[in-house]
Amino acid sequence: MSSPLTTEQVLALAPDAASAKAGRGLATPRSWVSVGRDAQAVWGECQGSGKTPYQTQIDLRGPAFRCSCPSRKFPCKHGLGLLLLLAAQPDVVAPATPPAWVAEWLASRIQREEQQQRRQAAADDPATAEQRAAKAAKSAAARDAKVQAGIAEVSRWLRDQVREGLAGIPARSPAVFDRMAARMVDAQAPGVARRLREMAAIPASGDGWQGRLLERMARLHLLVEGYTRLDTLSPNEQAEVRQAVGFNQKQEEVLAGAGQRDRWLVLGQVVEDEEPLQVQRTWLWAEAAARPALVLDFAAPGKPFDHSLVPGMQLDAELVFYPGALPLRALVKQADARMPASFFPSSDIHTALGTYAAALARCPWLERYPLTLGPVQLALTHAGWLVCDQAGHSLPLRPQFGRSWELLARSAGQPFSLSGEWDGDWFTPLSAWVGGFVDLVGGVL
Amino acid sequence: MPATALDLTHAPDWADLVAAALLGTERRPPGLPAATGALAQRLERLDPTADAEAALLSASALVSLYRRAGWVPAATSPTPFALAPADDRPACTPQAAWHLAQMLAGKHTVALPEWLAALATRQQTPPPELLPALLGYGHTRAGMREAIIPVLGARGRWLASLNPEWDYALLGDQALNDAEITALWETGSQAVRLALLAQVRSRNPAQARDLLLTTWASERADERLALLKTLAEGLSMADEPFLEQVLDDRSERVRKAAAALLTELPASRLVQRMVDRLTPLLHWTPGVGPRLPGVGQIKKPSLEVRLPEECDAAMQRDGIVLKPVSKKLGERAWWLNQMLEVVPPAVWAAAWGATPQEILTAKITKEWRGLLVGSWAEAARRHHDLTWLEVLVDLAQNGEKALSLEELLPALPPARREALVLALLKGGETLHGESPVMAVLRMLPAPWSHELSRALLKVLGQRLRQIDAHLRTDWHLRAALEIFAQRIPADLASEATAQITNEMRELPYWGAAIHEFEELLAFRDEMLRALN
């Protein structure tokens, strides 16, 4: 049977803070007319403001949610509330035989899965595969041509900026970047467009903007140069460049590659806006191979993300890395046992920065890299919070990180382990091990 | 922008590249930075004369990456925090912690004081991760600090010592020795000193006064005012000489506060001066004949009142305010009213050899009767004179217009208060927002007894079952539901719910308030159970 999620893990599934709060409010027996569970699912009827209670059901294998309420949030507060109730008071949710409305849904889910497998089998048929391949090759060639033209344009643009001098940029910002970013969207090079959009905020970001902007522009120049000379690069380097420009490799192709089987710990999950989509970054860590992996998921605003990876959970799983000079982005090919985390990686700051430098050497466009530090302690200086190791090295915590006091309170000043994203300037905590796994993304309340 | 780990702007070779990029290659062709080793080999392949822009961008990419990859933090870190002392009491259960988190996040926050008090009784603490939020709550809401401090435990006090915003919690609830007291008194922040003085005062009133005297002359006016007010607890005649001196303080607000404290002391010189001022203004004539119940005397006792002619400097020094606060009273009546409120009413009973009943029912110049009865009520409250209060309550219940029951009630002992409210509830009147009992209920602090609460639930249920036009617009009663839900004992939650029908829950305008009433009661019930 699937292991029930902890309160923190359930809250990590919430689409926003309001849903998490509403879900907590419903995680009490008196909100539910009936509740029940079996090995696969948990269900309940929740008394809302209307006459008939809402029917809420969750397939624990996913977890996959379904609720009869009209909410457009996903998962809705009822689904979250039910899982929170299960996490906090498992005795209240007694094993039972699923009622008809649950059994039917579960049956339809299994049917759908089978259909999908049949469709997959049909797609693997050689005749249809050949047809599709020919069509795909044609559209790929058309896109390549578009991207090449776009790359040539951004190359000229970069040279123009440097020829005329960056001093004139603030007067023309952010339009100068936004216009070029829009051109790159049209040229089907979304990776380049995103880098240009991110530059737009720099001229107004205060002291030292000139250096920060030049660094970004130089990094983009490097990408442009790489793409222009793609033929001279190794296949892995080619993949890295194409990925940075914004070519997305098909998931099926990636999954066909060899996987890495290990015990993977979900270190943390961050959701960020990446116009016009939202991106969910899930960082994992392989226990035996001692390496990180990044699983990305994209969704339109308000639409659900994949919820199968929950921070603080570990899974015996096979992950396949996207090809590239720095294998980091990955897909879960197959996952077996899931359970609460029983280990947490850690190294001193010097060693961790060594892995960052090595990663940067393989992929100069790396924007952030996970570091797993420990044993570390926190310190507070006039400039802000620091994480310090036993050797006396320290990294600055991102000022927007709002849970330093909480982390200090949990640790009582004792050394602990801390994972986070390092972008070369700031360390943004993802999770910690302080007597147990602590998810540090989002708020404590 | 705070300093970051990697400050590229101060590296000379990088700064040269930035300067070149800022200026633009069309103004000055860029040079390449000096370098050694692998970096130098890469830089040598660039040719600024052939393609100045590409060379500058490529060199920038190489140098910035080289520096970013090679950066190591300086090994001179600041010292991490000292370790917390061992925990001195257990943390509450996760479920109880969850209730706290909900209240701190703004849901049912009105129940927080009750939760904190229950936690303190059980000698438990919140879990460490919620301590910062709780300490922060106390930082912005000074009124909550007294409830927060006892639950903090060793971990919470340790945290408080690390953040200046939380220093109000530093004292904890343990007694300090004399040296610690002196040190904190001389160096602590204003919040700490105030809390320290209150703590010392509650244990040893004389020591607190002596502590205050050591620095009194050098305190700022607002500090003097705040510190002086802590003397209200444990006030005695031992404080009188000091307070008498403060009547000559430089700050008017401090003088007024000292006068207010002295009026609480019946034996103070200030109260005696008031008696001396009032005695010539009040002329008592005893009644004639025996006092027989139901018959009355041949001639009732009477009281003649003269108004004071002036409010001189000495009166103002004793806290009498010159200008009336309301237009209902003339200046001279206003002075009389203020003086009467200060004098214990028993003084008059003794001076005239009369009982409170006789005085309060005496023949008094009609114009001034209301003024006198009202002033005596305030004086009886101020000096906790239960004999007088009982007579006043009796008068109020019999329709004395100058008195209101809800104003007298808070001065009565809890049991007496309850009995009065219970009698009103059982009086059979329909409950509505303007009922006399509603005003009284609002003034009645928690905890309410089960008997009282059940009686209230009964009349409330009766009222809500009669859905009529008046109920729909009775917003006083609707607003009072939140007060009821805060004060009815939580273990009556299910009994309260039993009074509510689905029809009531769906009433327009009332539905939401009834829902919140049930929710809050159920939440309090659940939160207290989770602590057991």
Side-chain angles (χ1 to χ4, degrees):
Chain A
M1 165 187 140
S2 306
S3 163
L5 302 176
T6 65
T7 298
E8 290 73 28
Q9 290 169 338
V10 178
L11 290 173
L13 299 177
D16 50 42
S19 300
K21 207 171 139 185
R24 294 186 116 157
L26 289 173
T28 144
R30 65 194 157 75
S31 296
W32 298 88
V33 182
S34 72
V35 283
R37 64 178 305 193
D38 67 3
Q40 191 191 341
V42 53
W43 59 85
E45 292 180 290
C46 182
Q47 187 62 57
S49 48
K51 280 209 172 77
T52 38
Y54 296 127
Q55 295 180 329
T56 309
Q57 44 197 321
I58 299 147
D59 185 343
L60 291 169
R61 293 174 307 171
F65 295 84
R66 190 190 194 186
C67 183
S68 64
C69 78
S71 169
R72 251 168 266 153
K73 298 274 182 64
F74 193 89
C76 67
K77 62 181 178 180
H78 306 104
L80 294 169
L82 187 55
L83 277 189
L84 287 169
L85 180 65
L86 181 65
Q89 304 175 56
D91 313 344
V92 173
V93 190
T97 312
W101 54 274
V102 177
E104 278 163 23
W105 180 62
L106 289 176
S108 75
R109 274 181 61 77
I110 290 169
Q111 204 180 2
R112 222 168 335 161
E113 279 164 24
E114 285 167 358
Q115 265 174 11
Q116 212 160 6
Q117 280 164 5
R118 271 201 300 278
R119 229 177 290 143
Q120 187 61 44
D124 292 344
D125 176 58
T128 44
E130 209 169 291
Q131 263 181 4
R132 244 205 341 264
K135 210 171 146 191
K138 207 173 146 192
S139 73
R143 181 175 177 192
D144 275 340
K146 262 187 158 178
V147 173
Q148 231 147 31
I151 290 288
E153 187 178 352
V154 83
S155 174
R156 279 195 302 277
W157 180 85
L158 281 168
R159 284 159 191 256
D160 288 349
Q161 305 312 316
V162 176
R163 185 180 313 109
E164 292 165 23
L166 302 187
I169 288 224
R172 289 180 285 138
S173 178
V176 63
F177 299 103
D178 290 343
R179 206 176 313 127
M180 201 57 203
R183 301 279 301 156
M184 290 304 109
V185 170
D186 292 342
Q188 293 190 313
V192 178
R194 184 170 58 77
R195 285 173 166 79
L196 285 161
R197 265 197 305 265
E198 283 170 3
M199 284 180 208
I202 295 179
S205 67
D207 281 351
W209 67 269
Q210 302 92 335
R212 287 193 292 277
L213 183 60
L214 178 61
E215 190 176 0
R216 295 290 191 111
M217 289 181 128
R219 211 66 63 81
L220 182 57
H221 169 75
L222 202 61
L223 181 60
V224 165
E225 291 289 298
Y227 191 79
T228 319
R229 293 176 215 166
L230 208 54
D231 306 342
T232 66
L233 303 179
S234 73
N236 273 342
E237 288 166 342
Q238 287 187 13
E240 203 67 66
V241 170
R242 285 174 62 86
Q243 202 174 311
V245 167
F247 283 95
N248 255 334
Q249 204 167 359
K250 282 218 172 72
Q251 294 207 351
E252 306 89 84
E253 289 170 25
V254 177
L255 286 171
Q260 174 141 17
R261 187 156 266 291
D262 209 315
R263 173 171 291 178
W264 293 90
L265 166 67
V266 184
L267 285 175
Q269 201 163 57
V270 185
V271 173
E272 266 177 18
D273 286 333
E274 208 169 86
E275 297 269 320
L277 296 175
Q278 287 194 303
V279 59
Q280 172 183 271
R281 293 196 295 274
T282 308
W283 293 103
L284 295 102
W285 187 270
E287 184 178 26
R291 66 181 292 185
L294 170 65
V295 174
L296 293 181
D297 191 27
F298 298 88
K303 288 281 180 290
F305 283 110
D306 173 45
H307 289 313
S308 56
L309 298 173
V310 180
M313 186 171 81
Q314 70 185 32
L315 44 158
D316 290 331
E318 187 180 349
L319 265 71
V320 193
F321 286 93
Y322 280 73
L326 173 69
L328 186 62
R329 188 176 168 193
L331 289 172
V332 180
K333 188 171 189 175
Q334 198 222 340
D336 297 331
R338 298 151 190 263
M339 61 198 79
S342 63
F343 76 97
F344 200 88
S346 61
S347 72
D348 62 61
I349 288 174
H350 193 86
T351 311
L353 286 178
T355 65
Y356 172 67
L360 204 55
R362 284 160 172 264
C363 175
W365 303 287
L366 187 69
E367 285 160 273
R368 49 184 81 79
Y369 194 71
L371 304 184
T372 53
L373 309 174
V376 290
Q377 282 158 287
L378 295 179
L380 182 58
T381 69
H382 66 280
W385 287 89
L386 301 174
V387 51
C388 315
D389 68 8
Q390 312 282 299
H393 292 127
S394 65
L395 297 178
L397 295 192
R398 180 170 288 280
Q400 289 83 352
F401 178 68
R403 291 170 65 180
S404 304
W405 282 110
E406 176 208 333
L407 201 48
L408 181 68
R410 286 180 187 267
S411 74
Q414 301 280 355
F416 59 97
S417 299
L418 183 66
S419 83
E421 294 178 336
W422 173 248
D423 66 3
D425 293 324
W426 302 107
F427 186 74
T428 310
L430 289 166
S431 59
W433 187 274
V434 195
F437 186 91
V438 182
D439 185 2
L440 291 172
V441 179
V444 63
L445 294 180
Chain B
M1 176 105 188
T4 59
L6 186 60
D7 198 352
L8 287 170
T9 50
H10 294 298
D13 45 357
W14 175 249
D16 289 349
L17 287 166
V18 175
L22 266 178
L23 194 62
T25 51
E26 66 184 1
R27 290 196 186 77
R28 192 179 75 193
L32 290 179
T36 54
L39 180 63
Q41 285 174 19
R42 298 289 194 294
L43 287 170
E44 272 165 23
R45 292 189 211 154
L46 306 174
D47 184 359
T49 50
D51 187 345
E53 292 79 39
L56 178 56
L57 284 164
S58 297
S60 301
L62 280 167
V63 171
S64 68
L65 274 169
Y66 183 83
R67 295 183 54 78
R68 203 162 270 269
W71 178 79
V72 218
T76 50
S77 282
T79 338
F81 294 106
L83 297 186
D87 289 330
D88 53 352
R89 43 175 82 177
C92 62
T93 63
Q95 217 200 335
W98 186 12
H99 291 132
L100 173 61
Q102 279 188 279
M103 289 185 280
L104 289 174
K107 194 173 185 201
H108 303 313
T109 313
V110 287
L112 187 55
E114 187 180 16
W115 188 87
L116 290 168
L119 193 72
T121 313
R122 287 161 183 77
Q123 300 272 307
Q124 295 177 2
T125 64
E129 65 268 25
L130 291 178
L131 287 170
L134 184 62
L135 285 163
Y137 194 79
H139 169 63
T140 51
R141 290 169 192 78
M144 288 296 299
R145 292 175 189 170
E146 211 178 315
I148 291 172
I149 289 169
V151 305
L152 290 174
R155 182 88 59 107
R157 285 191 295 276
W158 167 76
L159 265 184
S161 72
L162 304 175
N163 186 338
E165 288 191 349
W166 302 336
D167 67 0
Y168 67 87
L170 274 184
L171 298 177
D173 49 355
Q174 283 147 13
L176 304 168
N177 66 37
D178 288 356
E180 287 169 324
I181 289 173
T182 311
L184 265 179
W185 180 250
E186 280 162 12
T187 59
S189 71
Q190 198 182 345
V192 170
R193 299 178 75 227
L194 204 55
L196 175 72
L197 192 66
Q199 194 198 66
V200 175
R201 181 75 174 175
S202 67
R203 297 204 163 94
N204 185 346
Q207 188 187 3
R209 189 183 56 248
D210 293 345
L211 196 61
L212 184 56
L213 277 165
T214 58
T215 56
W216 180 254
S218 58
E219 307 281 359
R220 290 201 326 267
D222 56 340
E223 285 172 351
R224 286 202 303 278
L225 181 66
L227 294 167
L228 193 67
K229 284 181 176 171
T230 61
L231 296 189
E233 198 189 320
L235 188 70
S236 74
M237 275 305 282
D239 303 313
E240 200 261 2
F242 167 61
L243 292 173
E244 180 72 29
Q245 276 176 33
V246 180
L247 288 177
D248 298 315
D249 194 89
R250 294 186 299 280
S251 153
E252 187 189 350
R253 288 162 69 216
V254 175
R255 291 197 297 270
K256 290 265 180 292
L261 286 170
L262 284 168
T263 63
E264 310 264 329
L265 294 169
S268 68
R269 280 170 276 176
L270 182 140
V271 170
Q272 191 51 52
R273 287 194 292 272
M274 292 297 182
V275 174
D276 294 345
R277 286 178 189 123
L278 285 166
T279 304
L281 301 176
L282 302 174
H283 183 74
W284 178 259
T285 312
V288 176
R291 280 179 292 238
L292 297 171
V295 181
Q297 282 174 281
I298 297 167
K299 192 177 174 213
K300 271 174 74 169
S302 64
L303 183 62
E304 259 174 74
V305 181
R306 274 196 304 124
L307 295 181
E309 294 297 329
E310 56 166 353
C311 181
D312 58 20
M315 279 166 76
Q316 291 184 47
R317 177 178 180 266
D318 284 346
I320 302 299
V321 178
L322 200 58
K323 293 286 167 204
V325 286
S326 102
K327 285 187 178 146
K328 279 186 206 152
L329 288 182
E331 264 188 359
R332 293 166 62 204
W334 163 242
W335 301 334
L336 179 71
N337 163 247
Q338 294 179 78
M339 289 194 287
L340 275 171
E341 284 182 354
V342 168
V343 177
V347 167
W348 309 118
W352 303 331
T355 64
Q357 285 93 336
E358 283 176 313
I359 294 174
L360 284 164
T361 56
K363 197 163 155 256
I364 303 176
T365 322
K366 199 175 171 202
E367 205 182 346
W368 305 124
R369 207 190 115 76
L371 174 74
L372 260 66
V373 172
S375 307
W376 281 325
E378 170 56 28
R381 267 202 302 270
R382 191 175 291 191
H383 295 284
H384 312 286
D385 190 322
L386 289 181
T387 321
W388 274 74
L389 282 168
E390 283 296 344
V391 180
L392 288 159
V393 165
D394 204 41
L395 275 180
Q397 284 185 311
N398 286 305
E400 169 60 60
K401 287 198 183 62
L403 296 170
S404 75
L405 202 50
E406 68 262 27
E407 281 174 17
L408 293 168
L409 211 66
L412 294 174
R416 179 76 184 110
R417 253 182 344 220
E418 281 247 358
L420 275 170
V421 178
L422 206 52
L424 281 174
L425 278 174
K426 291 183 171 169
E429 238 188 295
T430 313
L431 196 66
H432 59 84
E434 320 276 332
S435 324
V437 70
M438 290 293 294
V440 172
L441 280 169
R442 282 194 204 97
M443 296 298 294
L444 192 66
W448 288 359
S449 75
H450 284 73
E451 194 189 0
L452 172 86
S453 306
R454 286 195 172 110
L456 171 63
L457 287 172
K458 197 172 149 208
V459 293
L460 182 64
Q462 280 165 356
R463 180 67 194 104
L464 293 177
R465 268 187 286 279
Q466 306 161 14
I467 300 158
D468 53 31
H470 185 245
L471 180 70
R472 292 214 175 87
T473 56
D474 193 350
W475 64 270
H476 279 298
L477 183 60
R478 183 171 170 274
L481 283 182
E482 197 195 341
I483 298 175
F484 297 165
Q486 286 174 39
R487 301 187 194 165
I488 290 173
D491 57 5
L492 293 185
S494 53
E495 286 183 39
T497 300
Q499 291 287 345
I500 309 289
T501 62
N502 274 337
E503 202 186 0
M504 297 176 197
R505 292 188 185 101
E506 280 160 30
L507 271 179
Y509 179 70
W510 276 85
I514 287 175
H515 180 72
E516 277 159 29
F517 168 80
E518 289 185 277
E519 278 283 296
L520 179 54
L521 266 172
F523 179 82
R524 286 177 48 226
D525 187 31
E526 201 179 279
M527 102 192 168
L528 293 177
R529 278 175 205 276
L531 286 174
N532 286 329

